[in-house]
Amino acid sequence: PGTSASPIFLHFGAGGTDGVRSDRFFEEMCAAVRELVRSTNGTSWRLWPEDFGSVVLLPRSVGELLPGSCPTLVCLRWSESPPECPAAPSAQALLAAHAGGPSPSHTASKAYQQLWRGLVAADGSSSVAVVTPSVDLRGEEQQMVMQALWQVLPRRSVYSHDAIEMDMLKADYSRFPAIMALTLLSMFGLIGWTFKAALVPLKLFLTVVAPLFFVFGLILEAYELGTFDGFGIPHVNSDYGLHWTIPILAAPILTGLAVDYDVFLFARVYEFRQKGYDDRAAIVAGLAATGPIISGAGLVMALAFGSMLFSETRVTYEVGFALCAGVLVDTFIVRPLLVPSILMLGGGLNYWPQKMPEATISIAELEEHAEDVRLGMPIAAERTTHLSPGALPSSSAAAATVAGGPAVMLLGP
């Protein structure tokens, strides 16, 4: 049947000298299949008898060729007919028969012998049962099926693509918190060391965590809760759910982009504060100076990540949506609104324990020279701030070089 779940292979080892060719092995394997059918009964991920392919079960195609009626689940026996379906021969008889004509018994024997060659080891030491769920399993239901199988059989005896993914999921998410913590600690430790400031990394940390929570809430709304299903946007719907790799793939990239823009902005704020701007003026000037560049860079990144939405691969378009949304939120909400607001809280502590120059430029003076700041030109108060007393000559003109800016001509009276 066509389902989203991959086939599941169950391995059964046989002990004793007879191996698979014994009534004991058939009984043990059949008991496991019956338990799986019973334990999943009444659930949305129920395993039906016809979902199993095994040499210990009477294949449906074979049962249809036999006279009389048999139950849906018939367990064969090696040396005798099963009591629930007396018309069915033993497994030994099916293997020993030769296709001598078009009779139902010969056709059934041929089908069973082909099944035996595909599912039993050449030395007869083990056999495999194939489970193909007939219901459409997605997300949590796939995990529940695997849990049901692991409760009946040893974990090493169950193999499927879903089982591998579950093991990867468990391993990756068990390490993910430590990896993110180490990454954030390294990044913000480097920021504190670069600016010689102890508290600004904590403030910038808040500007990274907040958009991450927002973006992950948004992708859950899109791919799990179906909030945007009604808009008919291709690849932005809850048809397949959110792939488990998306948070692991998107979180480090979004963190790096957010920190990159924040550091770019704070570097200019730090520069203006060193030039004598007060805390508020430095933040406003830094925002004005970096705004066009960061906005342009954010749009370019959003367009680049947005192109991933045109992919037909589920992981690709879901991670593209997460990255595109994250960049837009960071560029047009976090950077112009949240970052300045957080930096304004206890603005003098942004640079602690470093001692900054005395503030000589206020927000009012900054507003008078907004165009100069936008173009990166120093304003009059900034030029005089960096000249020591007596540095200006008494002549009518003198050249002075402004720290961090171009050489400007200061005209005397």
Side-chain angles (χ1 to χ4, degrees):
T3 68
S4 64
S6 59
I8 305 170
F9 301 92
L10 311 180
H11 180 263
F12 293 85
T17 56
D18 294 330
V20 172
R21 302 170 185 267
S22 66
D23 287 324
R24 179 181 177 181
F25 175 81
F26 272 64
E27 291 172 0
E28 291 177 351
M29 193 170 179
C30 184
V33 173
R34 288 185 183 275
E35 177 59 23
L36 289 171
V37 172
R38 184 201 64 78
S39 62
T40 59
N41 186 26
T43 66
S44 58
W45 57 88
R46 179 178 181 179
L47 296 177
W48 298 86
E50 52 266 28
D51 296 341
F52 292 84
S54 172
V55 294
V56 304
L57 301 178
L58 181 66
R60 187 175 180 180
S61 58
V62 174
E64 293 174 348
L65 300 174
L66 299 176
S69 60
C70 297
T72 305
L73 179 60
V74 177
C75 289
L76 294 174
R77 297 192 176 185
W78 171 250
S79 59
E80 58 184 3
S81 298
E84 63 267 34
C85 185
S90 65
Q92 186 177 22
L94 286 170
L95 289 177
H98 296 283
S103 67
S105 60
H106 289 153
T107 304
S109 296
K110 185 176 181 180
Y112 185 79
Q113 291 168 10
Q114 183 177 5
L115 184 69
W116 183 279
R117 288 192 295 269
L119 298 180
V120 177
D123 60 359
S125 61
S126 64
S127 179
V128 171
V130 182
V131 185
T132 308
S134 55
V135 293
D136 197 4
L137 300 178
R138 295 177 181 173
E140 185 178 355
E141 291 183 337
Q142 287 183 350
Q143 298 183 27
M144 297 306 297
V145 168
M146 299 308 303
Q147 293 293 343
L149 293 171
W150 288 333
Q151 289 179 2
V152 176
L153 299 171
R155 196 181 186 95
R156 64 179 182 275
S157 298
V158 181
Y159 173 83
S160 77
H161 180 268
D162 295 333
I164 295 174
E165 274 209 320
M166 288 183 64
D167 288 339
M168 292 172 59
L169 185 153
K170 183 178 179 180
D172 289 348
Y173 274 97
S174 65
R175 296 176 175 87
F176 182 61
I179 293 173
M180 283 300 298
L182 182 60
T183 301
L184 292 173
L185 184 63
S186 302
M187 292 171 62
F188 290 107
L190 183 59
I191 292 173
W193 178 81
T194 301
F195 293 104
K196 305 298 188 293
L199 297 181
V200 73
L202 299 178
K203 289 190 172 186
L204 295 183
F205 173 75
L206 297 177
T207 68
V208 172
V209 172
L212 279 180
F213 279 120
F214 178 85
V215 170
F216 286 132
L218 188 64
I219 60 178
L220 285 175
E221 291 284 346
Y223 294 107
E224 288 291 334
L225 303 180
T227 303
F228 306 123
D229 287 2
F231 295 98
I233 306 174
H235 298 161
V236 184
N237 52 62
S238 58
D239 288 350
Y240 298 102
L242 182 67
H243 196 272
W244 65 270
T245 59
I246 304 304
I248 295 177
L249 294 174
I253 300 176
L254 290 175
T255 300
L257 291 173
V259 172
D260 180 51
Y261 292 163
D262 288 356
V263 169
F264 189 23
L265 171 59
F266 183 73
R268 295 307 306 270
V269 172
Y270 183 86
E271 177 186 346
F272 282 115
R273 183 64 189 88
Q274 283 192 321
K275 291 179 178 180
Y277 289 68
D278 64 23
D279 292 327
R280 185 180 180 189
I283 293 171
V284 172
L287 189 61
T290 60
I293 299 175
I294 295 180
S295 297
L299 283 175
V300 170
M301 294 297 291
L303 289 173
F305 290 137
S307 65
M308 299 170 69
L309 287 169
F310 294 96
S311 171
E312 294 299 325
T313 304
R314 174 185 168 195
V315 174
T316 302
Y317 64 69
E318 286 186 357
V319 76
F321 177 84
L323 296 178
C324 183
V327 169
L328 291 176
V329 168
D330 190 65
T331 302
F332 297 105
I333 298 179
V334 175
R335 187 262 311 170
L337 300 176
L338 184 61
V339 175
S341 300
I342 291 181
L343 291 178
M344 279 297 298
L345 297 175
L349 298 176
N350 291 335
Y351 320 99
W352 183 86
Q354 187 175 182
K355 187 176 181 180
M356 304 302 287
E358 181 181 353
T360 59
I361 305 174
S362 65
I363 188 67
E365 192 169 4
L366 175 64
E367 291 174 350
E368 295 178 6
H369 304 275
E371 185 64 18
D372 291 340
V373 173
R374 188 184 69 82
L375 296 175
M377 300 295 294
I379 62 180
E382 180 184 339
R383 292 195 291 263
T384 58
T385 297
H386 293 275
L387 295 177
S388 58
L392 288 176
S394 57
S395 59
S396 59
T401 301
V402 181
V408 278
M409 188 68 70
L410 300 177
L411 300 178

